[in-house]
mmCIF file of all heavy atoms in Angstrom:
data_model
loop_
_atom_site.group_PDB
_atom_site.id
_atom_site.type_symbol
_atom_site.label_atom_id
_atom_site.label_comp_id
_atom_site.label_asym_id
_atom_site.label_seq_id
_atom_site.Cartn_x
_atom_site.Cartn_y
_atom_site.Cartn_z
ATOM 1 N N HIS A 563 -3.125 10.915 7.898
ATOM 2 C CA HIS A 563 -2.608 12.274 8.053
ATOM 3 C C HIS A 563 -3.733 13.283 7.826
ATOM 4 O O HIS A 563 -4.328 13.314 6.737
ATOM 5 C CB HIS A 563 -1.483 12.521 7.048
ATOM 6 C CG HIS A 563 -0.601 13.677 7.404
ATOM 7 N ND1 HIS A 563 -1.087 14.882 7.882
ATOM 8 C CD2 HIS A 563 0.745 13.820 7.371
ATOM 9 C CE1 HIS A 563 -0.081 15.696 8.113
ATOM 10 N NE2 HIS A 563 1.048 15.086 7.815
ATOM 11 N N PRO A 564 -4.028 14.138 8.828
ATOM 12 C CA PRO A 564 -5.132 15.098 8.662
ATOM 13 C C PRO A 564 -4.922 16.077 7.513
ATOM 14 O O PRO A 564 -5.882 16.671 7.035
ATOM 15 C CB PRO A 564 -5.173 15.845 10.003
ATOM 16 C CG PRO A 564 -4.081 15.319 10.848
ATOM 17 C CD PRO A 564 -3.394 14.192 10.155
ATOM 18 N N ASP A 565 -3.675 16.213 7.009
ATOM 19 C CA ASP A 565 -3.458 17.180 5.926
ATOM 20 C C ASP A 565 -4.142 16.778 4.629
ATOM 21 O O ASP A 565 -4.252 17.576 3.705
ATOM 22 C CB ASP A 565 -1.963 17.454 5.700
ATOM 23 C CG ASP A 565 -1.248 16.342 4.933
ATOM 24 O OD1 ASP A 565 -1.864 15.287 4.671
ATOM 25 O OD2 ASP A 565 -0.062 16.534 4.600
ATOM 26 N N SER A 566 -4.602 15.535 4.533
ATOM 27 C CA SER A 566 -5.264 15.121 3.282
ATOM 28 C C SER A 566 -6.739 15.559 3.235
ATOM 29 O O SER A 566 -7.357 15.541 2.166
ATOM 30 C CB SER A 566 -5.167 13.608 3.077
ATOM 31 O OG SER A 566 -5.452 12.928 4.249
ATOM 32 N N GLN A 567 -7.301 15.992 4.375
ATOM 33 C CA GLN A 567 -8.739 16.306 4.423
ATOM 34 C C GLN A 567 -9.153 17.377 3.399
ATOM 35 O O GLN A 567 -10.094 17.161 2.629
ATOM 36 C CB GLN A 567 -9.131 16.706 5.851
ATOM 37 C CG GLN A 567 -10.620 16.699 6.108
ATOM 38 C CD GLN A 567 -11.324 17.961 5.640
ATOM 39 O OE1 GLN A 567 -10.714 19.012 5.528
ATOM 40 N NE2 GLN A 567 -12.612 17.857 5.326
ATOM 41 N N PRO A 568 -8.475 18.532 3.326
ATOM 42 C CA PRO A 568 -8.934 19.550 2.363
ATOM 43 C C PRO A 568 -8.842 19.078 0.910
ATOM 44 O O PRO A 568 -9.699 19.413 0.093
ATOM 45 C CB PRO A 568 -8.005 20.745 2.612
ATOM 46 C CG PRO A 568 -7.071 20.377 3.700
ATOM 47 C CD PRO A 568 -7.368 19.001 4.172
ATOM 48 N N MET A 569 -7.815 18.278 0.600
ATOM 49 C CA MET A 569 -7.664 17.793 -0.787
ATOM 50 C C MET A 569 -8.797 16.830 -1.162
ATOM 51 O O MET A 569 -9.373 16.901 -2.233
ATOM 52 C CB MET A 569 -6.319 17.071 -0.953
ATOM 53 C CG MET A 569 -5.114 17.959 -0.779
ATOM 54 S SD MET A 569 -3.569 17.060 -1.052
ATOM 55 C CE MET A 569 -3.367 16.197 0.491
ATOM 56 N N ILE A 570 -9.114 15.939 -0.229
ATOM 57 C CA ILE A 570 -10.188 14.973 -0.489
ATOM 58 C C ILE A 570 -11.528 15.704 -0.562
ATOM 59 O O ILE A 570 -12.356 15.442 -1.448
ATOM 60 C CB ILE A 570 -10.226 13.893 0.617
ATOM 61 C CG1 ILE A 570 -8.908 13.128 0.666
ATOM 62 C CG2 ILE A 570 -11.409 12.942 0.426
ATOM 63 C CD1 ILE A 570 -8.592 12.280 -0.530
ATOM 64 N N GLN A 571 -11.735 16.654 0.350
ATOM 65 C CA GLN A 571 -13.001 17.410 0.353
ATOM 66 C C GLN A 571 -13.170 18.180 -0.952
ATOM 67 O O GLN A 571 -14.261 18.206 -1.539
ATOM 68 C CB GLN A 571 -13.033 18.374 1.547
ATOM 69 C CG GLN A 571 -14.402 19.005 1.778
ATOM 70 C CD GLN A 571 -15.467 17.960 2.058
ATOM 71 O OE1 GLN A 571 -15.316 17.158 2.972
ATOM 72 N NE2 GLN A 571 -16.537 17.946 1.265
ATOM 73 N N ALA A 572 -12.074 18.795 -1.438
ATOM 74 C CA ALA A 572 -12.153 19.554 -2.685
ATOM 75 C C ALA A 572 -12.541 18.639 -3.857
ATOM 76 O O ALA A 572 -13.339 19.015 -4.719
ATOM 77 C CB ALA A 572 -10.818 20.242 -2.962
ATOM 78 N N ARG A 573 -11.993 17.416 -3.871
ATOM 79 C CA ARG A 573 -12.344 16.482 -4.951
ATOM 80 C C ARG A 573 -13.817 16.082 -4.863
ATOM 81 O O ARG A 573 -14.537 16.030 -5.870
ATOM 82 C CB ARG A 573 -11.434 15.249 -4.883
ATOM 83 C CG ARG A 573 -11.788 14.131 -5.873
ATOM 84 C CD ARG A 573 -11.731 14.585 -7.330
ATOM 85 N NE ARG A 573 -10.429 15.060 -7.714
ATOM 86 C CZ ARG A 573 -9.441 14.282 -8.183
ATOM 87 N NH1 ARG A 573 -9.657 12.993 -8.353
ATOM 88 N NH2 ARG A 573 -8.275 14.791 -8.492
ATOM 89 N N LEU A 574 -14.287 15.803 -3.652
ATOM 90 C CA LEU A 574 -15.695 15.420 -3.481
ATOM 91 C C LEU A 574 -16.611 16.560 -3.912
ATOM 92 O O LEU A 574 -17.619 16.344 -4.604
ATOM 93 C CB LEU A 574 -15.969 15.033 -2.028
ATOM 94 C CG LEU A 574 -15.284 13.754 -1.554
ATOM 95 C CD1 LEU A 574 -15.489 13.569 -0.049
ATOM 96 C CD2 LEU A 574 -15.797 12.540 -2.312
ATOM 97 N N ASP A 575 -16.264 17.798 -3.517
ATOM 98 C CA ASP A 575 -17.074 18.963 -3.887
ATOM 99 C C ASP A 575 -17.105 19.122 -5.411
ATOM 100 O O ASP A 575 -18.153 19.386 -6.001
ATOM 101 C CB ASP A 575 -16.508 20.242 -3.246
ATOM 102 C CG ASP A 575 -16.691 20.247 -1.731
ATOM 103 O OD1 ASP A 575 -17.460 19.401 -1.228
ATOM 104 O OD2 ASP A 575 -16.051 21.085 -1.075
ATOM 105 N N LEU A 576 -15.932 18.961 -6.034
ATOM 106 C CA LEU A 576 -15.848 19.104 -7.492
ATOM 107 C C LEU A 576 -16.747 18.071 -8.183
ATOM 108 O O LEU A 576 -17.546 18.410 -9.052
ATOM 109 C CB LEU A 576 -14.399 18.927 -7.960
ATOM 110 C CG LEU A 576 -14.218 18.895 -9.478
ATOM 111 C CD1 LEU A 576 -14.433 20.281 -10.078
ATOM 112 C CD2 LEU A 576 -12.828 18.381 -9.847
ATOM 113 N N LEU A 577 -16.630 16.811 -7.774
ATOM 114 C CA LEU A 577 -17.430 15.764 -8.409
ATOM 115 C C LEU A 577 -18.921 16.012 -8.186
ATOM 116 O O LEU A 577 -19.740 15.838 -9.099
ATOM 117 C CB LEU A 577 -17.026 14.381 -7.876
ATOM 118 C CG LEU A 577 -15.617 13.918 -8.265
ATOM 119 C CD1 LEU A 577 -15.317 12.548 -7.658
ATOM 120 C CD2 LEU A 577 -15.446 13.859 -9.775
ATOM 121 N N GLY A 578 -19.256 16.446 -6.961
ATOM 122 C CA GLY A 578 -20.666 16.725 -6.665
ATOM 123 C C GLY A 578 -21.215 17.806 -7.569
ATOM 124 O O GLY A 578 -22.316 17.677 -8.132
ATOM 125 N N SER A 579 -20.420 18.870 -7.787
ATOM 126 C CA SER A 579 -20.937 19.964 -8.617
ATOM 127 C C SER A 579 -20.960 19.563 -10.091
ATOM 128 O O SER A 579 -21.863 19.963 -10.830
ATOM 129 C CB SER A 579 -20.131 21.246 -8.386
ATOM 130 O OG SER A 579 -18.799 21.043 -8.743
ATOM 131 N N VAL A 580 -19.994 18.747 -10.529
ATOM 132 C CA VAL A 580 -20.000 18.292 -11.929
ATOM 133 C C VAL A 580 -21.254 17.455 -12.205
ATOM 134 O O VAL A 580 -21.934 17.615 -13.221
ATOM 135 C CB VAL A 580 -18.722 17.480 -12.245
ATOM 136 C CG1 VAL A 580 -18.856 16.743 -13.563
ATOM 137 C CG2 VAL A 580 -17.511 18.393 -12.272
ATOM 138 N N VAL A 581 -21.580 16.569 -11.274
ATOM 139 C CA VAL A 581 -22.762 15.717 -11.458
ATOM 140 C C VAL A 581 -24.030 16.568 -11.433
ATOM 141 O O VAL A 581 -24.950 16.377 -12.250
ATOM 142 C CB VAL A 581 -22.806 14.600 -10.378
ATOM 143 C CG1 VAL A 581 -24.106 13.819 -10.469
ATOM 144 C CG2 VAL A 581 -21.610 13.673 -10.530
ATOM 145 N N ALA A 582 -24.068 17.544 -10.509
ATOM 146 C CA ALA A 582 -25.256 18.411 -10.432
ATOM 147 C C ALA A 582 -25.423 19.206 -11.728
ATOM 148 O O ALA A 582 -26.530 19.323 -12.261
ATOM 149 C CB ALA A 582 -25.130 19.360 -9.229
ATOM 150 N N GLU A 583 -24.318 19.710 -12.271
ATOM 151 C CA GLU A 583 -24.388 20.474 -13.532
ATOM 152 C C GLU A 583 -24.858 19.585 -14.666
ATOM 153 O O GLU A 583 -25.662 19.991 -15.508
ATOM 154 C CB GLU A 583 -23.006 21.030 -13.891
ATOM 155 C CG GLU A 583 -22.660 22.333 -13.209
ATOM 156 C CD GLU A 583 -21.177 22.655 -13.372
ATOM 157 O OE1 GLU A 583 -20.578 22.233 -14.384
ATOM 158 O OE2 GLU A 583 -20.632 23.306 -12.469
#
Side-chain angles (χ1 to χ4, degrees):
H563 199 318
D565 77 353
S566 45
Q567 195 278 336
M569 295 182 281
I570 299 294
Q571 191 60 55
R573 174 60 60 88
L574 293 173
D575 291 347
L576 173 72
L577 293 179
S579 61
V580 167
V581 173
E583 276 167 29

